[in-house]
Amino acid sequence: MAGEFKVIPAGEAARPVIANLLQLYLYDMAPYFGARLNAAGRFDHDILEEGWAHPYLFTLDGAPAGFALITRHCTIRERSPCWYVAEFGILRPHQGRGLGRRAFQALLEANPGDWEVTWYDGNGPASAFWPRVIPQAGREEHRLQVNGMDWTSVAFTV
């Protein structure tokens, strides 16, 4: 793969960039969660307010390629401290090229400890991606129902 890929801890200066990426992310998630555009043509959300604890920006050749919002509280099973992937997205043109795996590995290396990743089972891309990239050793998998929807949650330690 050509290009320099970086996983960068994001400060406030990157907040508008991640806010823009979230619009693309929510567009991709709309078929699974029924998100609708507001009158201005944007998705309303409070994701940044809820997930802006440990934000990361992924770049390829200096241009945004994705992001992650990581928190220190695993909300699904109420574990804390725990690294929790609140949101994780690779822009569609870069998907299927191994960048998601590389980004997640960099997050694990930068933040050792207990982790939890959760995804909606009806989200085919997430259901294919996460089981392949989460470490196999010591993983603890749970099936959950949230608002009548089936989810998978995997806890592990690195």
Side-chain angles (χ1 to χ4, degrees):
M1 170 186 11
E4 181 182 24
F5 182 67
K6 291 184 180 179
V7 175
I8 306 162
E12 282 299 316
R15 192 180 189 104
V17 175
I18 292 177
N20 289 339
L21 296 177
L22 272 166
Q23 289 296 308
L24 300 170
Y25 173 78
L26 290 170
Y27 176 80
D28 285 347
M29 295 297 111
Y32 309 113
F33 301 107
R36 296 179 161 225
L37 294 173
N38 63 23
R42 296 182 56 79
F43 292 100
D44 288 326
H45 64 84
D46 53 5
I47 293 170
L48 284 180
E49 291 73 29
E50 292 178 2
W52 193 268
H54 301 276
Y56 288 84
L57 181 63
F58 311 151
T59 64
L60 183 61
D61 292 333
F67 69 96
L69 299 177
I70 309 296
T71 67
R72 285 297 282 151
H73 179 77
C74 295
T75 57
I76 299 298
R77 290 191 283 151
E78 296 296 325
R79 296 178 357 168
S80 187
C82 174
W83 296 107
Y84 182 72
V85 179
E87 307 295 338
F88 182 97
I90 299 291
L91 294 178
R92 198 179 299 168
H94 304 301
Q95 292 174 2
R97 299 170 56 192
L99 297 182
R101 176 184 297 276
R102 289 175 57 193
F104 187 57
Q105 186 60 44
L107 294 174
L108 296 179
E109 289 171 7
N111 303 293
D114 292 334
W115 277 83
E116 189 162 346
V117 176
T118 304
W119 64 89
Y120 167 53
D121 293 344
N123 178 341
S127 294
F129 173 75
W130 287 114
R132 287 194 327 257
V133 301
I134 294 172
Q136 296 295 316
R139 69 192 264 175
E140 182 183 325
E141 189 168 313
H142 296 272
R143 301 279 189 231
L144 309 165
Q145 277 263 319
V146 179
N147 298 326
M149 299 166 62
D150 293 327
W151 291 73
T152 298
S153 179
V154 178
F156 57 97
T157 301
V158 293

Coordinates of all heavy atoms in Angstrom, one line a residue, residues 8-20 47-57 69:
I8 N -2.9 9.5 15.1 CA -2.5 10.7 15.8 C -3.5 11.0 16.9 O -4.6 11.2 16.6 CB -2.4 11.9 14.9 CG1 -1.5 11.6 13.7 CG2 -1.9 13.2 15.6 CD1 -1.7 12.5 12.5
P9 N -3.0 11.1 18.2 CA -3.9 11.6 19.2 C -4.4 13.0 18.8 O -3.6 13.9 18.4 CB -3.0 11.7 20.5 CG -1.9 10.8 20.2 CD -1.7 10.8 18.7
A10 N -5.7 13.2 18.9 CA -6.3 14.5 18.3 C -6.6 15.4 19.5 O -7.2 15.1 20.5 CB -7.5 14.2 17.6
G11 N -6.2 16.7 19.3 CA -6.5 17.7 20.2 C -7.7 18.5 19.7 O -8.3 18.2 18.7
E12 N -7.9 19.6 20.4 CA -9.1 20.5 20.0 C -9.0 21.0 18.6 O -10.0 21.2 17.9 CB -9.2 21.6 21.0 CG -9.9 21.2 22.3 CD -11.3 20.7 22.1 OE1 -12.1 21.2 21.4 OE2 -11.6 19.7 22.8
A13 N -7.8 21.2 18.1 CA -7.6 21.7 16.7 C -8.2 20.7 15.7 O -8.6 21.1 14.6 CB -6.1 22.0 16.4
A14 N -8.2 19.4 16.0 CA -8.7 18.4 15.1 C -10.2 18.2 15.3 O -10.8 17.4 14.5 CB -7.9 17.1 15.3
R15 N -10.8 18.8 16.3 CA -12.2 18.6 16.5 C -13.1 18.9 15.3 O -14.0 18.1 15.0 CB -12.7 19.4 17.7 CG -14.0 19.0 18.3 CD -14.4 19.9 19.5 NE -15.6 19.4 20.1 CZ -15.6 18.7 21.2 NH1 -14.5 18.4 21.9 NH2 -16.8 18.3 21.7
P16 N -12.9 20.0 14.6 CA -13.7 20.2 13.4 C -13.5 19.2 12.3 O -14.4 18.9 11.6 CB -13.3 21.6 12.9 CG -12.6 22.3 14.1 CD -12.0 21.1 14.9
V17 N -12.3 18.7 12.2 CA -12.0 17.7 11.2 C -12.8 16.4 11.5 O -13.5 15.8 10.7 CB -10.5 17.4 11.1 CG1 -10.2 16.2 10.1 CG2 -9.8 18.6 10.6
I18 N -12.7 16.0 12.8 CA -13.4 14.8 13.2 C -14.9 15.0 13.1 O -15.7 14.1 12.7 CB -12.9 14.3 14.6 CG1 -11.5 13.8 14.5 CG2 -13.8 13.2 15.1 CD1 -10.8 13.4 15.8
A19 N -15.4 16.2 13.4 CA -16.8 16.5 13.2 C -17.3 16.3 11.8 O -18.3 15.8 11.5 CB -17.1 17.9 13.7
N20 N -16.4 16.7 10.9 CA -16.7 16.5 9.4 C -16.7 15.0 9.1 O -17.6 14.5 8.4 CB -15.8 17.3 8.5 CG -16.0 18.8 8.6 OD1 -17.0 19.2 9.0 ND2 -14.9 19.5 8.2
I47 N -22.3 12.9 19.5 CA -21.2 11.9 19.6 C -19.9 12.6 20.1 O -19.3 12.0 21.0 CB -21.0 11.2 18.2 CG1 -22.2 10.3 17.9 CG2 -19.7 10.4 18.2 CD1 -22.2 9.8 16.5
L48 N -19.6 13.7 19.6 CA -18.4 14.4 20.1 C -18.4 14.7 21.6 O -17.5 14.6 22.3 CB -18.1 15.7 19.3 CG -17.6 15.4 17.9 CD1 -17.3 16.8 17.2 CD2 -16.3 14.6 17.9
E49 N -19.6 15.2 22.0 CA -19.7 15.5 23.4 C -19.6 14.3 24.3 O -19.0 14.3 25.4 CB -21.1 16.2 23.7 CG -21.2 17.6 23.1 CD -21.3 17.6 21.6 OE1 -21.8 16.7 21.0 OE2 -20.8 18.6 20.9
E50 N -20.2 13.2 23.9 CA -20.1 11.9 24.6 C -18.8 11.2 24.5 O -18.4 10.5 25.5 CB -21.3 11.0 24.2 CG -22.6 11.6 24.5 CD -23.8 10.7 24.1 OE1 -23.5 9.6 23.5 OE2 -24.9 11.0 24.3
G51 N -18.2 11.3 23.4 CA -17.0 10.4 23.1 C -15.7 11.1 23.1 O -14.6 10.5 22.8
W52 N -15.6 12.4 23.3 CA -14.4 13.2 23.1 C -13.5 13.1 24.4 O -13.3 14.0 25.1 CB -14.7 14.6 22.8 CG -13.4 15.4 22.3 CD1 -12.6 16.1 23.1 CD2 -12.9 15.5 21.0 NE1 -11.6 16.6 22.3 CE2 -11.8 16.3 21.1 CE3 -13.3 14.9 19.8 CZ2 -11.0 16.5 19.9 CZ3 -12.6 15.2 18.7 CH2 -11.5 16.0 18.7
A53 N -13.1 11.9 24.7 CA -12.2 11.7 25.9 C -10.7 11.5 25.4 O -9.8 12.2 25.8 CB -12.7 10.5 26.7
H54 N -10.6 10.5 24.5 CA -9.3 10.2 23.9 C -9.5 10.0 22.4 O -9.6 8.9 21.8 CB -8.7 8.9 24.5 CG -8.6 9.0 26.0 ND1 -7.4 9.6 26.5 CD2 -9.4 8.7 27.0 CE1 -7.6 9.5 27.9 NE2 -8.7 9.0 28.2
P55 N -9.6 11.2 21.7 CA -9.8 11.1 20.2 C -8.5 10.9 19.4 O -7.5 11.3 19.9 CB -10.4 12.5 19.9 CG -9.8 13.4 21.0 CD -9.6 12.5 22.2
Y56 N -8.7 10.2 18.3 CA -7.6 10.0 17.4 C -8.0 10.3 16.0 O -9.1 10.0 15.6 CB -7.1 8.5 17.5 CG -6.4 8.1 18.7 CD1 -7.1 7.8 19.9 CD2 -5.0 8.2 18.8 CE1 -6.5 7.5 21.1 CE2 -4.4 7.8 20.0 CZ -5.1 7.5 21.1 OH -4.4 7.2 22.2
L57 N -7.1 10.8 15.2 CA -7.3 11.1 13.8 C -6.3 10.2 13.0 O -5.2 10.0 13.4 CB -7.0 12.5 13.5 CG -7.2 13.0 12.0 CD1 -8.6 12.8 11.6 CD2 -6.7 14.4 11.9
L69 N -12.9 7.4 18.6 CA -13.2 8.1 19.8 C -13.1 7.0 20.9 O -13.9 6.1 20.8 CB -14.5 8.8 19.8 CG -14.7 9.9 18.7 CD1 -16.1 10.4 18.7 CD2 -13.7 11.0 18.9

